[in-house]
Amino acid sequence: MKQIAIPAFSKPQEGYKVYQRFRGVDYSTDETQIADSRSPYMLNMISDNGGYPELRLGWRTIHKFASGGKVHSIHPFVQDGVRHMIAHVGTQIVRLVPREKGTEESYAETVLLSGLADKRSNGFYFGGDLWILTGAELVHYNGVIARRASEEAYVPTTSVGCQPTGGGKSNEKVNLIGSFRKNTFVTDGSAKKFTVDTKKIDEGSEVTAEYIDKDGKKVTIKSGDKVSGTTRDALTFDPKTGVVTFDTAPPAPAAAGVATLTIKFSVKTEGSADKINGCTIFTTFGVGTGSRVFLSGNPKQPNTEYYCGLNDPTYWPDAQFIRVGTDNFPIVNYLKYQGELLVIKQDNRQENTVWHHAAELDPQTGTALFPLKEGVSGIGGIAPLSCQVLRDDPLFLSLQGVFAPVLTYSMNTIERNLQCRSTRINVRLGKEPNLKDAISAVWKGYYILCVNGHCYVADANQSRDKDGYEWYYWEGIPAYSFGVDATDLYFGTEDGRLCRMNNDLVDEHENPLMRAYSDDGQPIPWEWRSKLDHLDRPTWRKTLNKRGCGVQLKRFTRGDMEIYLRTEKDFGEKIDTVQTDRFTFSDVNFNRFTFGTTKNLMFILKKKLKKFLFVQVILRGTALNSGAGLYMLALYYSVDEAAKKKRK
């Protein structure tokens, strides 16, 4: 009698894993160790309104500057209801105005000012006007003309109530960016000589005098003016003694002791204007308001900041300066937080890297005071143009990543700290060369940090955790300078172009048009990867089933992508090409006609993958004018056997 052995037919253990609620990238560790919701590599993607990854919008060139120089800074400006652009290009200040109302792709270019420094600049709005720091001059644009602020500098009255021989009472401080100043004098009707408070006047300069004559009329006399009917000068001056001599004595005042004569004269102080003109960093701050402009960043005075007169950026009193720490470590930039002005200094291990200004009034004189106190140390700034406030979060770039100065509360005490906001991207960001040249912008809830044509994008629209923001990584953005106008983002290039992001290319329902998904007419290469996942069984071999696996994709009017599967044994195998087109009446293409109208598509991965330990799904695309997005990934698999020790 024969015996037959019957094998035990048992159903393999099965597993099912769903990935959803996707977030940003995570470069901080191995791609097998990150959270299921994050990607170890994501290129040119951004979060949609729900936080799901989709292809970023592209950009286009909207103007090529005639000079072809580097676009150092961009400043949107509205004049008489018309929005135009002011740009510092090469050595010029240029105004761009749309040629026709509502058309932005064609600009009329006007050069407003030439002969400027050919290097990166910075600008701020104050009093309804635009002010640009080139590092060699402070430029003022009032909506009509642009000129150097030194040409319209406020003239302070440094002494008042002076006698003809001098004296008087000190009044306003000397203006650093202007050589002119005024003295007021009490006349007696007989004195013809009046000595100014500096005891000297610039040779070859102009002296102007104003007084009230016997008829109560205002009289203005300038050096070089002739007495009517003669060759005599009505007013002369001695540059070595500062004595101003009148041909006819100014009349005595109607009320005794009242100063009715004002003499305006010039005394240049070598290098004083350079203290302001050499600044590259700005902020506004004041007692309860932004009533004063603070400047710093002058490489010759790296730890010194200056602040202007009340509501007047043409007046920089020579006594209104503050030295922050030592001059070995320069001020990098400013941030505002909790009513204080934060001064960010260069990274060092010697002194505090964050300092704090308060704003208060002197109770006796009513003068604005800005007391300075030390903050935290250990992490300092590196890139002046990286400082931004993302919603209420002050951010700056350091050698160790993007940090934010914050206040924390512990045991009923307030502590100042620095918190890293870029933990998940620091490995990649820290390898970028020339971090000191990084530029940044805040746009639609995103902090965009750009260096070497690479953009690192922090998303404040998603929740932030202890490791910081969700971050995204872009390439193909040749930004040399940024300019933000409400919801529009512009950037300038090194080859003299003004570009803008394509967020304005939308249909009547505010959905992006397909031509918005191109970089200046070129395709936007993109990629998204899941984690390299062991599917919760790291030491067991698995088989991915041909049925039951799929990806839920976002549909666009035009959508194209390639899908790859990768294991620990290879670099990925292409398994399919997918079109995620969606029918819309506004854009019908009969070559790719579809009746699908739903906003998402479940695509089944019909691929059997045998005996792997780790698996990864890769989505890629390079099509022109084509969108892409992801909602969910589902993997259905069976467990085969425990992995055996591999023999050598």
Side-chain angles (χ1 to χ4, degrees), residues 16 53 56 133 177 272 353 387 419 436 439 460 529 534 571 621:
Y16 191 69
R56 67 162 172 84
L133 299 164
I177 65 170
S272 65
T353 51
C387 295
Q419 293 182 358
K436 63 181 178 58
I439 62 173
R529 298 182 188 180
H534 53 60
F571 294 101

Side-chain angles (χ1 to χ4, degrees), residues 279-295:
C279 290
T280 57
I281 301 166
F282 75 89
T283 191
T284 56
F285 192 57
V287 181
T289 63
S291 57
R292 298 177 190 268
V293 178
F294 279 65
L295 298 183

Side-chain angles (χ1 to χ4, degrees), residues 14 65 68 79 180 197 208 279 285 339 359-360 364 423 433 482 485 534 569 579 583 608 644:
E14 296 177 341
F65 290 97
Q79 179 71 18
F180 281 96
D197 56 6
T208 302
C279 290
F285 192 57
E360 58 190 42
Q364 296 181 344
T423 302
F482 277 129
D485 184 14
H534 53 60
K569 297 177 287 187
Q579 288 185 354
F583 176 79
K608 192 166 187 175
K644 298 178 181 179

Side-chain angles (χ1 to χ4, degrees), residues 555 581-583 592-598:
R555 285 180 121 167
D581 293 5
R582 175 171 172 252
F583 176 79
R592 299 177 48 153
F593 191 81
T594 178
F595 287 104
T597 58
T598 60

Side-chain angles (χ1 to χ4, degrees), residues 324-325 341-343 345 352-357 372-375:
V324 183
L341 177 60
L342 309 184
V343 184
K345 293 201 70 178
N352 296 77
T353 51
V354 179
W355 298 67
H356 299 255
H357 277 301
L372 180 69
K373 56 185 176 182
E374 296 179 335

Side-chain angles (χ1 to χ4, degrees), residues 389-430:
V389 177
L390 180 60
R391 295 190 175 170
D392 63 345
D393 200 25
L395 304 176
F396 69 90
L397 177 64
S398 76
L399 288 171
Q400 301 177 50
V402 178
F403 279 79
V406 297
L407 297 176
T408 58
Y409 301 87
S410 176
M411 303 296 290
N412 295 324
T413 61
I414 299 176
E415 298 178 353
R416 300 186 186 276
N417 294 285
L418 290 171
Q419 293 182 358
C420 185
R421 301 297 198 220
S422 58
T423 302
R424 299 185 188 94
I425 63 163
N426 283 344
V427 170
R428 190 183 192 100
L429 177 61

Side-chain angles (χ1 to χ4, degrees), residues 98-306:
R99 293 185 187 275
E100 298 178 13
K101 186 176 181 181
T103 61
E104 191 180 17
E105 306 300 321
S106 179
Y107 283 95
E109 178 178 330
T110 304
V111 176
L112 301 176
L113 192 62
S114 300
L116 305 177
D118 190 5
K119 56 183 178 180
R120 266 198 175 119
S121 56
N122 216 341
F124 59 93
Y125 302 92
F126 195 90
D129 295 347
L130 172 66
W131 308 76
I132 300 175
L133 299 164
T134 70
E137 51 263 309
L138 173 61
V139 177
H140 177 204
Y141 173 67
N142 63 4
V144 180
I145 62 173
R147 55 183 176 179
R148 293 167 176 82
S150 58
E151 297 175 4
E152 55 184 11
Y154 173 77
V155 179
T157 302
T158 54
S159 295
V160 295
C162 303
Q163 297 300 313
T165 55
K169 181 181 178 181
S170 296
N171 191 38
E172 296 176 311
K173 299 297 182 180
V174 173
N175 191 352
L176 288 173
I177 65 170
S179 63
F180 281 96
R181 60 196 76 185
K182 296 177 182 178
N183 288 174
T184 65
F185 292 85
V186 178
T187 60
D188 57 12
S190 61
K192 295 183 179 182
K193 296 181 181 291
F194 296 84
T195 304
V196 299
D197 56 6
T198 55
K199 303 296 192 294
K200 63 179 180 178
I201 299 175
D202 290 335
E203 190 169 359
S205 64
E206 183 178 79
V207 173
T208 302
E210 293 182 350
Y211 60 86
I212 305 299
D213 66 10
K214 296 179 180 179
D215 298 324
K217 295 181 180 180
K218 184 177 180 180
V219 177
T220 301
I221 304 174
K222 296 181 180 180
S223 54
D225 288 350
K226 301 297 182 180
V227 177
S228 178
T230 72
T231 59
R232 302 194 315 274
D233 290 336
L235 181 155
T236 60
F237 67 92
D238 185 345
K240 295 181 179 180
T241 62
V243 175
V244 177
T245 303
F246 292 84
D247 176 73
T248 302
V258 176
T260 56
L261 170 64
T262 300
I263 297 178
K264 175 184 172 184
F265 60 99
S266 172
V267 177
K268 292 181 180 178
T269 302
E270 189 68 28
S272 65
D274 294 339
K275 295 178 181 179
I276 301 301
N277 290 331
C279 290
T280 57
I281 301 166
F282 75 89
T283 191
T284 56
F285 192 57
V287 181
T289 63
S291 57
R292 298 177 190 268
V293 178
F294 279 65
L295 298 183
S296 61
N298 189 326
K300 295 182 179 179
Q301 296 179 306
N303 69 323
T304 304
E305 53 184 357
Y306 300 88

